[in-house]
């Protein structure tokens, strides 16, 4: 009996991951702030910023069987919260989740966490001090320091997602000693409720879309397909990387700036 877990499962890219992974495992656990009611799944509620809730989730999964895969899609965007909450959910939540599920990882287990195209956009502005900050989110006082250093929610979002990429690479080393794999995916502008909210409220997002070579939004199913590959045995020697799924939006913006 094997178990697959999908967070952020109620809608958007997480829901597409659930639909793709149904039938590939004995138990598919669909996780969100409120337990999703999706046929064929075990619906559980979990706030990934709550260590106790993560602990309860892991114990439930432990009781169902060996961990086959984890798709961690839960997260929040710049228009949804302030910088502190963004760091707490996106970065600290991801690191805690990877640490907790490491207890269940066995040979053949695989995890994929969601980063963002924004992680690449912020790269030119990152420096050793910021990287040192986001590389140790479990440090005492991290959230206070992060929120006082980065007050802008957009910058905090991008930095939190850069932290996710780096955290997954580090986790791949630890999980690899168990015969398991960890990767991340970086979606571009995707047609989800969260994505549409960002487009409506952030002019820079609309400008980015204008320079997208494919001239359209990505779909949740297109991102889920990449997640499915990374979780599959076809990707058995792929670990520690981030896969950009943006329809060449970043190169399109670079070309427009020249």
């Amino acid at each position: 009996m094997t178990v697959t877990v999908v967070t952020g499962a109620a809608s958007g890219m997480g829901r597409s991951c659930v639909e793709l992974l149904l039938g590939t495992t004995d138990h598919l656990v669909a996780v969100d702030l409120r337990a999703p009611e999706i046929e064929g799944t075990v619906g559980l509620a979990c706030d990934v910023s709550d260590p106790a809730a993560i602990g309860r989730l892991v114990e439930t999964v432990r009781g169902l069987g060996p961990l086959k895969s984890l798709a961690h899609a839960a997260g929040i965007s710049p228009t949804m919260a302030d910088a502190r909450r963004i760091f707490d959910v996106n970065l600290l939540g991801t690191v805690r989740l990877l640490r907790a599920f490491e207890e269940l990882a066995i040979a053949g287990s695989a995890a994929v966490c969601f980063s963002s195209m924004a992680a690449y956009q912020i790269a030119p502005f990152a420096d050793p001090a910021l990287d040192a900050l986001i590389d140790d989110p479990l440090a005492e006082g991290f959230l206070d320091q992060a929120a006082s250093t980065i007050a802008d929610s957009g910058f905090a979002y991008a930095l939190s997602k850069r932290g996710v990429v780096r955290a997954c690479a580090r986790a791949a080393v630890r999980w690899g000693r168990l015969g398991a794999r960890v990767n991340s995916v970086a979606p571009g502008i995707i047609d989800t409720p969260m994505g549409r909210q960002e487009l409506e409220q952030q002019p820079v997002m609309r400008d980015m879309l204008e320079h997208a070579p494919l001239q359209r939004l990505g779909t949740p199913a297109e991102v889920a397909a990449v997640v499915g590959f990374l979780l599959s045995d076809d990707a058995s020697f792929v670990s520690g990387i981030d896969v950009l799924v943006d329809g060449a939006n970043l190169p399109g913006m670079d070309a427009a700036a020249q």
Side-chain angles (χ1 to χ4, degrees):
M1 303 293 283
T2 59
V3 186
T4 289
V5 180
V6 179
T7 71
S11 64
M13 291 178 282
R15 180 60 180 262
S16 285
C17 288
V18 169
E19 293 169 355
L20 181 74
L21 295 169
L22 272 171
T24 65
T25 185
D26 297 301
H27 299 289
L28 200 161
V29 179
V31 180
D32 216 299
L33 280 173
R34 295 183 179 180
E37 296 182 2
I38 305 173
E39 186 175 354
T41 73
V42 178
L44 294 177
C46 179
D47 180 348
V48 298
S49 68
D50 180 354
I54 290 176
R56 291 190 294 270
L57 172 62
V58 167
E59 288 309 306
T60 299
V61 173
R62 191 193 306 274
L64 293 174
L67 178 69
K68 179 177 183 180
S69 54
L70 166 68
H72 176 40
I76 53 177
S77 63
T79 61
M80 297 172 66
D82 61 15
R84 182 187 179 92
R85 179 64 176 164
I86 285 170
F87 280 117
D88 197 9
V89 173
N90 291 354
L91 179 53
L92 190 50
T94 296
V95 170
R96 284 174 171 159
L97 201 72
L98 285 172
R99 288 280 186 177
F101 273 93
E102 188 177 328
E103 300 176 10
L104 306 184
I106 59 173
S109 297
V112 173
C113 299
F114 277 56
S115 61
S116 169
M117 175 176 69
Y120 292 83
Q121 293 173 290
I122 201 178
F125 307 101
D127 60 35
L130 284 178
D131 281 343
L133 175 66
I134 61 176
D135 283 349
D136 194 13
L138 295 177
E140 185 176 354
F142 165 75
L143 286 176
D144 290 335
Q145 184 179 358
S148 63
T149 303
I150 307 296
D152 179 77
S153 61
F155 196 90
Y157 175 81
L159 193 60
S160 75
K161 292 300 189 178
R162 179 175 172 85
V164 168
V165 173
R166 296 168 69 88
C168 288
R170 295 193 302 273
V173 177
R174 299 193 308 272
W175 284 49
R177 298 187 183 111
L178 305 170
R181 301 180 296 108
V182 180
N183 293 290
S184 55
V185 294
I189 306 175
I190 308 301
D191 189 10
T192 65
M194 185 185 297
R196 288 191 292 272
Q197 178 174 305
E198 296 303 309
L199 275 172
E200 290 170 2
Q201 299 187 31
Q202 297 201 50
V204 66
M205 296 288 288
R206 295 192 291 274
D207 183 61
M208 288 165 55
L209 185 58
E210 288 179 5
H211 297 300
L214 297 181
Q215 291 294 294
R216 66 175 177 85
L217 300 173
T219 69
E222 287 172 321
V223 178
V226 177
V227 174
F229 166 72
L230 291 173
L231 294 177
S232 75
D233 290 340
D234 289 336
S236 57
F237 203 57
V238 180
S239 192
I241 67 164
D242 183 75
V243 180
L244 182 62
V245 189
D246 76 333
N249 203 166
L250 285 182
M253 289 188 292
D254 288 342
Q258 293 175 359

